[in-house]
Amino acid sequence: MITKQVNNVILSPFGDSALLLKFSDKISPETHHQIQQVTEAIDRNVFTGLIEYIPAFTSLTIIYNPLKVKNAYGSLLGATLTPFELVGHLVTDILTKLEAEVEDTSRTVEVPVCYGGEFGPDLEYVAKFHQLTIDEVIAIHSEPEYLVHMIGFAPGFPYLGGLSERIATPRLEAPRLIIPAGSVGIAGMQTGVYPIATPGGWQLIGRTPTQFFRPKEHPPSLLKAGDKVKFRPISLAEYHSQLEVNTL
């Protein structure tokens, strides 16, 4: 089996120890909901050899141990089947038995943000780009409740959907070599938060004292796919006060 389609989901190999499920070519709340349905179903039906699954905007990657899968299911499902085909059978069974609804285990996380100044060197550019005032950009950015579509790029980095087209702004032409941890940025129709100091090309509009990557905790990422984020503007004094508390 190279590629097959089940309930409009395309299953294909992704290397020699992973299965890729493609749900759509477009990012949408509906696609996100489908992916959440499948991840919830996998959690309820964990198969031998499963290592982890990685949800993305329009796909889900399932990583497995080929030897464990073969030993556990080869005699049951077919001795001549490859580990990929065996996992394909298991996932197909999950897809065909999906429940109509999935339990909502998401959270809404409030994230304080100090906008502008040294924390948001691109805020003025974003305002001028859209012929808005700085206060209008802050109000527009902090108004929605954003959906966490996926975690990636850097440990704990949330890709958030729901940014208003009124402040959607292209990336920088030349990425910065270092973006401070906690920086809040815009890139096209997305917004996100840099969890660690890293290079990046997003337009920086503010910074949060909230730690998004906490390596000593389990799980280390503050957010997970399916969570929601609400930004709350704070003053510089509040930023330093909360940063001090968060780093104790």
Side-chain angles (χ1 to χ4, degrees):
M1 181 179 70
I2 300 302
T3 300
K4 65 181 294 187
Q5 186 166 323
V6 181
N7 292 348
N8 296 319
V9 180
I10 299 174
L11 284 65
S12 57
F14 197 61
D16 59 2
S17 60
L19 173 70
L20 179 67
L21 280 65
K22 186 66 178 294
F23 292 80
S24 175
D25 292 323
K26 297 181 180 180
I27 300 172
S28 70
E30 292 74 24
T31 298
H32 174 80
H33 178 70
Q34 284 182 294
I35 295 172
Q36 289 297 107
Q37 277 189 304
V38 176
T39 59
E40 291 282 350
I42 292 174
D43 285 340
R44 295 192 300 269
N45 301 275
V46 175
F47 60 84
T48 301
L50 174 67
I51 295 176
E52 66 174 326
Y53 57 76
I54 305 171
F57 283 119
T58 61
S59 65
L60 177 69
T61 302
I62 299 174
I63 302 174
Y64 55 88
N65 182 309
L67 183 59
K68 288 185 177 180
V69 168
K70 187 69 174 179
N71 290 339
Y73 303 104
S75 60
L76 180 64
L77 299 176
T80 61
L81 296 180
T82 66
F84 168 75
E85 290 173 320
L86 292 170
V87 174
H89 276 286
L90 297 170
V91 173
T92 295
D93 187 58
I94 290 174
L95 290 173
T96 55
K97 296 178 180 178
L98 280 181
E99 297 179 3
E101 294 296 332
V102 65
E103 181 182 356
D104 186 4
T105 60
S106 66
R107 306 161 299 151
T108 297
V109 179
E110 184 181 85
V111 177
V113 179
C114 182
Y115 289 93
E118 63 175 308
F119 295 158
D122 302 315
L123 179 59
E124 185 175 352
Y125 171 81
V126 172
K128 289 183 177 179
F129 186 84
H130 294 283
Q131 297 182 334
L132 297 168
T133 67
I134 287 177
D135 286 342
E136 285 174 330
V137 172
I138 294 173
I140 294 169
H141 184 263
S142 59
E143 180 182 7
E145 188 174 75
Y146 295 94
L147 175 64
V148 181
H149 280 275
M150 60 179 285
I151 303 294
F153 163 62
F157 186 101
Y159 286 88
L160 306 177
L163 182 71
S164 171
E165 292 185 8
R166 297 171 63 195
I167 56 173
T169 311
R171 299 168 182 259
L172 298 175
E173 292 185 5
R176 293 181 172 93
L177 295 180
I178 291 293
I179 303 292
S183 295
V184 178
I186 290 174
M189 284 294 297
Q190 297 180 99
T191 187
V193 181
Y194 286 83
I196 60 175
T198 179
W202 291 35
Q203 305 280 355
L204 304 183
I205 61 172
R207 194 179 303 174
T208 177
T210 301
Q211 294 180 321
F212 275 63
F213 179 59
R214 305 160 299 173
K216 295 182 180 180
E217 298 186 27
H218 181 77
S221 175
L222 172 66
L223 301 172
K224 61 180 177 62
D227 284 342
K228 299 175 181 65
V229 170
K230 187 74 170 65
F231 292 114
R232 177 175 63 85
I234 60 173
S235 67
L236 182 60
E238 288 178 285
Y239 171 88
H240 286 297
S241 176
Q242 293 190 32
L243 182 64
E244 184 177 352
V245 171
N246 292 339
T247 53
L248 288 178

